[in-house]
């Protein structure tokens, strides 16, 4: 069963598009790149092998005044190395000083996230290879590079 089906519709934070249940599962490598040319980003990064990540076994929570983010943290040296590589090469504006690889499940109203900390799914604790890099600009226009 999908984790998102276990979240009460009344708890979802949905004031605008891009919130509520995550509809495009992904792992953010780096937020806030200043480079607007996806071809330049992909070319500069060069060949990238598939990135192995392991999903943690527990759901976690990021809280702020506007919403709670239900997420699953990830581990793995490959994803951290890719984040460092992008950070070292490109100028970024990123308000998160420590990189915590994760996959967002949903945005819920403030204070409601705690009731979802015991969500469980068969993929939690599993390892996966991420095989596609997505460059998303400020208008959410996405370009893809497949990793080999």
């Amino acid at each position: 069963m999908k984790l998102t089906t276990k979240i009460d519709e009344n708890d979802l934070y949905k004031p605008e598009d891009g919130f509520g249940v995550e509809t495009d599962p992904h792992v953010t490598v780096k937020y806030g790149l200043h480079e607007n040319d996806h071809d330049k980003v992909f070319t500069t990064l060069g060949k990238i092998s598939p990135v192995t990540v392991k999903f943690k076994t527990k759901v976690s929570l990021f809280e702020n005044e506007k919403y709670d983010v239900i997420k699953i943290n990830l581990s793995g040296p490959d994803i951290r190395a890719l984040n460092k590589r992008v950070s070292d090469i490109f100028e970024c504006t990123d308000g998160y000083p420590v990189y915590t690889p994760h996959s967002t499940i949903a945005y819920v109203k403030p204070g409601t996230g705690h009731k979802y900390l015991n969500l469980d799914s068969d993929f939690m604790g599993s390892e996966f290879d991420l095989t596609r890099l997505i460059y998303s600009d400020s208008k959410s226009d996405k370009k893809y590079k497949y990793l080999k």
Side-chain angles (χ1 to χ4, degrees):
M1 177 181 258
K2 289 174 51 174
L3 289 176
T4 56
T5 62
K6 300 175 183 179
I7 298 171
D8 185 334
E9 180 78 21
N10 294 319
D11 288 341
L12 292 175
Y13 175 82
K14 299 189 290 187
E16 55 194 73
D17 287 343
F19 290 97
V21 169
E22 179 61 60
T23 58
D24 187 18
H26 64 279
V27 177
T28 301
V29 173
K30 187 66 180 172
Y31 179 81
L33 284 180
H34 292 198
E35 180 55 60
N36 293 317
D37 182 346
H38 71 279
D39 284 329
K40 185 174 182 181
V41 171
F42 292 156
T43 301
T44 303
L45 289 174
K47 183 179 186 296
I48 302 171
S49 298
V51 176
T52 301
V53 295
K54 183 173 183 176
F55 283 90
K56 301 284 184 163
T57 57
K58 297 272 185 195
V59 168
S60 62
L61 193 60
F62 170 76
E63 300 170 284
N64 68 47
E65 292 177 8
K66 292 172 63 175
Y67 49 77
D68 293 350
V69 180
I70 301 168
K71 61 191 178 94
I72 300 176
N73 288 345
L74 306 154
S75 62
D78 295 349
I79 191 71
R80 291 191 175 282
L82 184 56
N83 168 267
K84 181 172 179 3
R85 186 170 162 193
V86 171
S87 299
D88 289 348
I89 294 172
F90 298 101
E91 187 177 349
C92 303
T93 300
D94 184 351
Y96 304 99
V98 177
Y99 178 57
T100 305
H102 67 277
S103 186
T104 298
I105 298 165
Y107 298 85
V108 294
K109 294 173 185 167
T112 63
H114 288 281
K115 62 172 115 173
Y116 300 105
L117 290 176
N118 291 319
L119 289 178
D120 192 20
S121 181
D122 57 354
F123 71 85
M124 293 168 73
S126 299
E127 261 189 15
F128 290 90
D129 284 335
L130 305 177
T131 58
R132 185 174 69 166
L133 191 62
I134 304 169
Y135 173 90
S136 179
D137 66 18
S138 60
K139 299 174 192 143
S140 296
D141 183 29
K142 297 177 182 169
K143 304 294 182 190
Y144 302 91
K145 176 180 181 166
Y146 290 89
L147 309 180
K148 300 176 185 181

